Amino acid sequence: MYNASQIYQTNAVQTASPQELTLMLYNGCLKFIKLASRALEEKNIEQKHIHLVKAQAIITQFRITLDMDIPISKDLDVLYMFINEKLIEANTTNNQETLALAEDLVRELRDTWKTMMTGTVTV
């Protein structure tokens, strides 16, 4: 049985534009990275792993949906591969600094995406 929060989330996803869905994915990735960081601090290695695998799945989804006919996609693919490598490294070495680097990069991508959505890009 769904609770009100689950119903709201389902409706939000079903009615979101592609741009809003992308923003939701960036936010979800950041959420999983933060949860992994907290689990790492608490030495809960199993939860850290679960959250990082979810973050990696989001980054992988970004990679496979890139339109490689668009020039910037090649650069984004390299960046997504780097982030994924850092998530894997943080997962295998339990390195908080590596995890923080991945988080910073995802946050920058999310913030840039948000700025583009609002049309407040300045050159």
Side-chain angles (χ1 to χ4, degrees), residues 8-114:
Y8 174 80
Q9 264 187 325
T10 300
N11 287 338
V13 169
Q14 291 175 345
T15 60
S17 69
Q19 295 82 9
E20 292 167 329
L21 287 173
T22 299
L23 183 60
M24 287 178 189
L25 284 170
Y26 278 125
N27 285 333
C29 189
L30 286 169
K31 177 183 100 174
F32 292 129
I33 291 171
K34 287 177 187 178
L35 289 170
S37 179
R38 187 175 321 136
L40 186 54
E41 288 171 5
E42 296 169 354
K43 303 203 184 321
N44 187 335
I45 302 306
E46 182 180 354
Q47 284 300 305
K48 175 221 45 166
H49 175 74
I50 289 169
H51 296 306
L52 286 179
V53 167
K54 290 178 182 181
Q56 286 175 252
I58 291 171
I59 296 300
T60 298
Q61 185 63 32
F62 282 138
R63 285 193 68 214
I64 64 175
T65 57
L66 286 172
D67 180 351
M68 293 312 240
D69 292 332
I70 300 172
I72 196 170
S73 292
K74 291 175 178 71
D75 295 330
L76 283 171
D77 190 43
V78 170
L79 185 54
Y80 289 142
M81 283 192 312
F82 181 78
I83 292 168
N84 198 50
E85 288 171 8
K86 293 300 143 189
L87 292 172
I88 291 169
E89 182 181 335
N91 202 3
T92 57
T93 64
N94 296 323
N95 187 306
Q96 196 68 264
E97 291 80 23
T98 302
L99 189 54
L101 173 60
E103 181 179 6
D104 289 344
L105 292 170
V106 173
R107 183 177 298 107
E108 284 184 43
L109 285 166
R110 190 269 321 263
D111 292 348
T112 301
W113 185 259
K114 233 166 129 172

